[in-house]
Amino acid sequence: DQQVKQNSPSLSVQEGRISILNCDYTNSMFDYFLWYKKYPAEGPTFLISISSIKDKNEDGRFTVFLNKSAKHLSLHIVPSQPGDSAVYFCAASGPGNTGKLIFGQGTTLQVKP
Amino acid sequence: DAGITQSPRHKVTETGTPVTLRCHQTENHRYMYWYRQDPGHGLRLIHYSYGVKDTDKGEVSDGYSVSRSKTEDFLLTLESATSSQTSVYFCAIRKDRGSTDTQYFGPGTRLTVL
């Protein structure tokens, strides 16, 4: 039972254009959502997060949108750069203090020069 | 940089042998986590710890045990390695200060069980 799903295994965009990565979840108790970026042979790197009390969070070129009614979040990267090419994971956590994260399967983004 | 190191970075072992992976942090945070990453599955939580000698299971804990005798070290042991445990293993910490569940990851250990 996959509680967090990234249905697109890969995405290819042109440099300078917008990249949109999507994530769906099933557990309405999730209250905090994160995006991580991962390069080959490295650990995941925290990118941006959003609390369930918000519907948008922005950090430079990265914006995360949360639609609670649809149980859907998305990561927008504008403008996309070749260095953004990586695997992107969304993750979710629920109430309680354990901090346990549930991850999606990941989406491989390729930004072409 | 969250000051997390993992050792070894690469290991090849044979089925049935015991294997211990080490995670070391320099900032003395309470919460530490072990994940495995496999194609098509993302990262899945194996075990986590919320203090010295305080550990609990994650979603894929079968075949794994953990120990935390010091704040800075979190060990993951495969008592008798199987080929299905071939994976990349990541350790993570959650910083004590602040109220979010953001985790920071180590560089990973690539384990191959033949």
Side-chain angles (χ1 to χ4, degrees):
Chain A
D1 180 25
Q2 192 86 21
Q3 296 188 69
V4 178
K5 293 183 181 180
Q6 295 175 254
N7 292 315
S8 298
S10 62
L11 175 68
S12 181
V13 300
Q14 209 64 37
E15 181 179 6
R17 307 294 289 268
I18 185 172
S19 295
I20 300 176
L21 295 95
N22 295 301
C23 181
D24 297 296
Y25 61 97
T26 57
N27 190 339
S28 58
M29 299 300 289
F30 288 146
D31 59 5
Y32 192 68
F33 304 88
L34 309 91
W35 284 94
Y36 285 85
K37 179 170 72 173
K38 186 184 179 304
Y39 293 121
E42 295 183 10
T45 303
F46 169 69
L47 199 55
I48 192 169
S49 62
I50 188 167
S51 165
S52 60
I53 62 173
K54 297 184 176 181
D55 54 18
K56 177 182 174 181
N57 189 25
E58 201 169 346
D59 184 1
R61 297 186 297 115
F62 303 92
T63 303
V64 56
F65 295 92
L66 176 62
N67 182 334
K68 289 190 292 294
S69 61
K71 295 190 179 68
H72 177 83
L73 65 155
S74 60
L75 174 68
H76 292 212
I77 306 174
V78 183
S80 301
Q81 300 173 353
D84 296 329
S85 297
V87 179
Y88 288 79
F89 292 100
C90 66
S93 70
N97 198 35
T98 64
K100 291 191 290 185
L101 297 180
I102 305 295
F103 283 82
Q105 308 97 308
T107 297
T108 301
L109 172 66
Q110 182 186 28
V111 180
K112 297 179 178 179
Chain B
D1 183 8
I4 306 169
T5 57
Q6 293 184 232
S7 58
R9 293 293 314 278
H10 302 271
K11 186 170 182 66
V12 180
T13 191
E14 293 187 351
T15 298
T17 59
V19 176
T20 295
L21 308 183
R22 178 179 182 244
C23 177
H24 178 79
Q25 59 151 329
T26 59
E27 299 181 356
N28 292 323
H29 297 294
R30 276 184 63 202
Y31 284 84
M32 299 184 75
Y33 308 83
W34 276 108
Y35 292 87
R36 59 180 289 175
Q37 185 201 355
D38 303 290
H41 290 279
L43 284 86
R44 292 179 292 175
L45 181 66
I46 305 171
H47 282 280
Y48 69 100
S49 170
Y50 46 96
V52 173
K53 300 193 191 308
D54 293 323
T55 64
D56 205 350
K57 295 179 180 180
E59 59 179 310
V60 289
S61 59
D62 288 348
Y64 301 95
S65 63
V66 289
S67 65
R68 191 155 177 215
S69 58
K70 297 186 292 185
T71 301
E72 59 266 36
D73 289 325
F74 191 29
L75 304 181
L76 177 70
T77 297
L78 291 66
E79 301 290 348
S80 178
T82 67
S83 59
S84 65
Q85 293 176 311
T86 293
S87 187
V88 182
Y89 292 86
F90 290 102
C91 173
I93 59 99
R94 187 182 76 170
K95 296 191 174 183
D96 293 340
R97 295 189 178 180
S99 59
T100 70
D101 287 338
T102 304
Q103 293 181 18
Y104 298 88
F105 286 82
T109 294
R110 181 172 293 276
L111 176 67
T112 302
V113 184
L114 301 176

